[in-house]
Amino acid sequence: MARKKIALIGAGMIGGTLAHLAAKKEMGDIVLFDIAEGIPQGKALDLSQCGPIEGFDARITGTNDYKDIAGADVVIVTAGVPRKPGMSRDDLLGINLKVMKAVGDGIKANAPDAFVICITNPLDAMVWALREFSGLPHEKVVGMAGVLDSARFATFLAWEFGVSVRDVNAFVLGGHGDTMVPVTSYTTISGIPVNDLAKIRGIAPEKLDEIVKRTRGGGGEIVALLKTGSAYYAPATSAIAMAEAYLGDQKRILPCAAYVDGKYGLDGLYVGVPAVIGAGGIEDIVEIELSDEEKSNLKVSTDAVVELLDACKAMDESL
Ligand code: TXD
């Protein structure tokens, strides 16, 4: 059976990391696409030379021509510009919306049957715009944010409780912005609700609030430290987990920016919700019971996403 084909649109910090992870895991052949000449080709050549050392067989190529993504099974989109210190994710909207138009056209023409994972920020708006521009079915276009935000939440919890990160199952819903909703009522450590373990361990509720706050600011914390860009190792790792769930028909329930129409009181919005990822793409959205506070926090988050969509529509009348 022929190898799967993974196309990475954007060969920057996340794109290169995606390629390395996908190659190490032998997920398939990899095409790195970018508008910058030489970058995708150079990174593809460098990554290929890891093969004899790491022991993976994967054809890794770089290109500036969308025709080379033809027939891709998975397309992961990081094309665009990242934040610099002092910038919000929303500040990227104008530039990255135009990029999504070009990327959407490229996917529509060359890889219409792919499962598309969008990473480009502002994520909830960019994944919606990418779906509109590409015309792919809603269940085949998803945004990566919740897996990353939940991993940040889980890391901070594991540090505070002094437990293995393997045992923390954290849930962050809503938009990928300062209004994201870490859902402590569905967060467990070895199946123990985190609020219960906090009481057992004598960890004050204020400490958990601090961790929720640090999770919300997790992206900005790294941008401030790096100064020249944003996080890329954990974002890439998160998108790879989503791609594996699709390619392996794993039926994982992951927090993803999926298209919600009816559930959670939403009609026609991409926002972070528990989504089942399998061979059909987004196969189901799980509508969990939320506390009143969590419901109102989710409303604030989805209202912020609607504002971004309105800004996108104002910039591009085809939306
Ligand atoms: O959780 C999340 N979703 C976020 C997303 C986590 C971290 C970073 N987030 C966003 O991902 C970030 O704000 C950016 O919008 C993207 C990509 O971040 P990355 O750090 O990989 O940015 P780079 O290193 O600048 O890479 C972007 C590449 C770069 O090589 C450009 O030449 C290329 O995108 N680029 C394009 N490729 C194709 N087509 C077009 N039009 C284009 N424009 C730029």
Side-chain angles (χ1 to χ4, degrees), residues 122-265:
L123 187 271
D124 307 284
M126 293 301 99
V127 62
W128 171 84
L130 184 61
R131 203 302 313 169
E132 293 299 311
F133 291 134
S134 68
L136 268 60
H138 286 94
E139 66 275 13
K140 297 292 286 297
V141 182
V142 67
M144 185 297 289
V147 175
L148 171 66
D149 295 327
S150 301
R152 288 172 169 162
F153 191 28
T155 302
F156 300 144
L157 287 169
W159 289 350
E160 180 61 32
F161 282 85
V163 298
S164 165
V165 288
R166 287 182 183 79
D167 294 334
V168 185
N169 198 320
F171 239 98
V172 177
L173 303 180
H176 181 52
D178 298 344
T179 61
M180 67 178 77
V181 186
V183 185
T184 44
S185 57
Y186 277 84
T187 295
T188 60
I189 298 177
S190 283
I192 308 161
V194 71
N195 291 321
D196 294 355
L197 192 57
K199 287 194 192 90
I200 295 164
R201 286 286 181 83
I203 292 171
E206 293 71 34
K207 193 70 193 162
L208 292 185
D209 293 343
E210 262 174 51
I211 288 173
V212 165
K213 188 166 182 292
R214 189 177 180 188
T215 302
R216 285 209 174 98
E221 183 179 3
I222 292 173
V223 168
L225 289 165
L226 295 181
K227 297 184 179 49
T228 55
S230 43
Y232 48 97
Y233 292 120
T237 305
S238 302
I240 290 292
M242 294 166 68
E244 285 180 308
Y246 172 72
L247 290 173
D249 191 23
Q250 294 177 351
K251 313 294 188 197
R252 289 198 66 188
I253 299 181
L254 295 171
C256 305
Y259 183 70
V260 188
D261 195 8
K263 292 184 176 175
Y264 293 98

Side-chain angles (χ1 to χ4, degrees), residues 12-14 34-35 78-82 96 99 119 121 144 148 176 231:
M13 299 307 286
I14 301 179
D34 205 297
I35 51 167
T78 61
V81 295
N96 288 347
V99 174
I119 296 184
N121 267 330
M144 185 297 289
L148 171 66
H176 181 52

Side-chain angles (χ1 to χ4, degrees), residues 63 87 90 144 181:
T63 184
M87 286 175 80
D90 299 358
M144 185 297 289
V181 186

